Amino acid sequence: MSEAAFIAGDWGTSRLRLYLCDARGSVLARGEGEGASAPDCAGRFAAAVAPWDKAHGVLPAVLGGMVGSTIGWKEVPYLHCPAKPQAIAGAALRFDGQISTFDFRSAASPCYACVFPPDEAFQEVACSTMGVFSPTVGIIGAMQAAEALRVIGGFGGTLEGRLMMLDSLRMEWNTMRIARQADCPVCGSR
Ligand SMILES: [Zn+2]
């Protein structure tokens, strides 16, 4: 059996789907847990991957879905999962997509909470009820892949400090400048 290299997860509103993968991305084992809308997602994630932590050591985790959304995202910085210092955030719902890069190697980089404060009121939205224009996910996903290569390769700069928003109904892009907030509850003490 190939050696486990990372954990991939799709964290939907109602379910967490986990995959233990080897370095080539082949699935070695599957797991699952509750969705991102249930409380204590950090604890539930740690519990869900505990058997794999024990068997293989703590592995990097690559998570998609509702991770980083306002549902439960406050817990994410405390997850027991090593991550690269850069986080590339992308989202898509209905006809709206957005992407930015939060590069914590850079002192000036804002974090997700600088842009979307955790105490801001939000409406719980799920792709299963709101729907998503699927090409929007592909466009944002391809841009995330390009951004990841730019970050890893260190060429061409990054999207740090810029939030790009796609309206795929009118097929228009808007770019918003985003700045680090000194009173941010997540990175203010960084
Ligand atoms: Zn912040």
Side-chain angles (χ1 to χ4, degrees):
M1 189 164 120
S2 310
E3 198 176 332
F6 67 95
I7 294 167
D10 173 19
W11 212 334
T13 308
S14 53
R15 274 183 69 208
L16 167 64
R17 290 160 284 265
L18 289 167
Y19 306 90
L20 182 68
C21 300
D22 67 14
R24 296 167 60 94
S26 299
V27 176
L28 306 174
R30 291 164 196 265
E32 62 172 30
E34 288 177 275
S37 56
D40 187 26
C41 55
R44 287 182 292 105
F45 181 84
V49 301
W52 293 343
D53 282 354
K54 203 172 166 195
H56 308 285
V58 177
L59 297 170
V62 181
L63 300 171
M66 298 306 289
V67 179
S69 78
T70 47
I71 300 171
W73 72 265
K74 274 190 264 187
E75 306 287 348
V76 168
Y78 307 103
L79 288 182
H80 182 51
C81 63
K84 292 287 180 188
Q86 313 83 22
I88 297 162
L93 185 69
R94 289 172 294 199
F95 287 93
D96 300 318
Q98 55 181 235
I99 179 170
S100 188
T101 295
F102 305 112
D103 187 345
F104 302 127
R105 295 170 304 181
S106 158
S109 177
C111 77
Y112 192 86
C114 292
V115 189
F116 302 99
D119 54 0
E120 209 167 69
F122 67 92
Q123 268 190 308
E124 186 169 322
V125 286
C127 290
S128 54
T129 54
M130 304 298 285
V132 61
F133 184 52
S134 52
T136 308
V137 180
I139 294 166
I140 298 295
M143 288 187 64
Q144 283 181 289
E147 189 67 359
L149 291 173
R150 286 171 1 114
V151 168
I152 293 165
F155 54 84
T158 74
L159 281 176
E160 178 190 324
R162 282 186 290 158
L163 177 67
M164 295 186 68
M165 294 169 292
L166 170 65
D167 173 354
S168 56
L169 186 60
R170 293 171 188 81
M171 207 48 83
E172 286 175 0
W173 281 102
N174 279 297
T175 300
M176 194 170 88
R177 290 276 165 193
I178 52 176
R180 195 170 160 207
Q181 303 298 316
D183 59 349
C184 172
V186 173
C187 76
S189 58
R190 195 167 89 213

